[in-house]
Amino acid sequence: MKSSEEKEQKRIEHMTRSERKHRAFADWLELVTEIMEIAVAVIVLAGFFVSVIPIIREMPDLLDSTNDYSFHVFLEHAFNLVIGIEFVRMLIKHTPGSALGVLLFAIARHMVLDSGSGLELLMSVAAIAGIFIIRKYLYVHSFESRADNTTFDWIRGEEWSGENHDEK
């Protein structure tokens, strides 16, 4: 059986010149959009590091047990940082699981920090339950393929063959 690379090479050989130009342009656009996504992820990550400074500055205020507002502000900053981390992961990994993680943390932040009505709280609980139901019953694990080498295997010099890592 031929490998997928050989099949792709044979398909490219049979393409017309205009089809090859179109394919090259589409590949170039895909590369540009990937670079733009990485740039946004780097900017968000830089913002994350800058945002850690106020949290560290607020830590001594937490020792004052009479000030509930300090703890609320601290939690707000912490949740924002966690959502930012999940957002960066979503930009890098391109998986449904990472998108669900961002939604889960955003809804949890709303539940914990915003003093909404009972109906809003009930809707938030239903939304989180919906995310877990989607994850359990509607989630397609093949979407979580690790074809994008985002696990830093390249640093350790390990090649990713597309197989399950546990089988290696």
Side-chain angles (χ1 to χ4, degrees):
M1 184 169 183
K2 294 182 180 179
S3 73
S4 60
E5 292 175 6
E6 291 173 347
K7 288 179 184 177
E8 180 68 14
Q9 185 64 30
K10 222 176 213 330
R11 190 181 72 76
I12 290 173
E13 289 173 2
H14 293 303
M15 293 171 96
T16 65
R17 183 180 171 129
S18 65
E19 288 173 332
R20 277 186 271 203
K21 284 182 182 180
H22 177 73
R23 172 73 186 261
F25 183 68
D27 289 346
W28 179 80
L29 281 177
E30 185 176 351
L31 176 66
V32 167
T33 57
E34 286 178 11
I35 290 170
M36 289 168 55
E37 283 180 342
I38 290 171
V40 168
V42 167
I43 291 169
V44 170
L45 202 56
F48 167 80
F49 288 121
V50 169
S51 296
V52 168
I53 296 167
I55 282 189
I56 293 170
R57 264 191 280 142
E58 292 168 8
M59 296 281 287
D61 293 339
L62 294 175
L63 295 174
D64 181 13
S65 63
T66 61
N67 192 354
D68 290 335
Y69 181 73
S70 295
F71 185 65
H72 188 284
V73 170
F74 178 78
L75 276 180
E76 189 174 319
H77 285 295
F79 263 117
N80 287 341
L81 290 176
V82 169
I83 291 170
I85 292 167
E86 288 296 318
F87 182 71
V88 169
R89 289 179 64 194
M90 181 184 73
L91 286 174
I92 300 300
K93 290 180 97 175
H94 294 131
T95 61
S98 59
L100 289 175
V102 171
L103 289 174
L104 188 65
F105 282 113
I107 294 168
R109 179 197 182 279
H110 174 74
M111 284 178 63
V112 172
L113 297 177
D114 296 339
S115 56
S117 67
L119 181 60
E120 285 182 2
L121 184 62
L122 182 63
M123 289 172 40
S124 296
V125 169
I128 287 177
I131 289 173
F132 282 115
I133 289 169
I134 288 169
R135 181 107 175 139
K136 173 87 173 162
Y137 296 108
L138 301 176
Y139 196 71
V140 179
H141 290 285
S142 64
F143 288 159
E144 293 290 335
S145 74
R146 294 172 58 192
D148 292 336
N149 214 357
T150 57
T151 58
F152 302 105
D153 290 339
W154 57 274
I155 291 174
R156 293 187 295 266
E158 299 172 11
E159 287 293 322
W160 182 255
S161 63
E163 300 168 341
N164 189 352
H165 234 347
D166 297 335
E167 296 175 5
K168 278 190 163 186

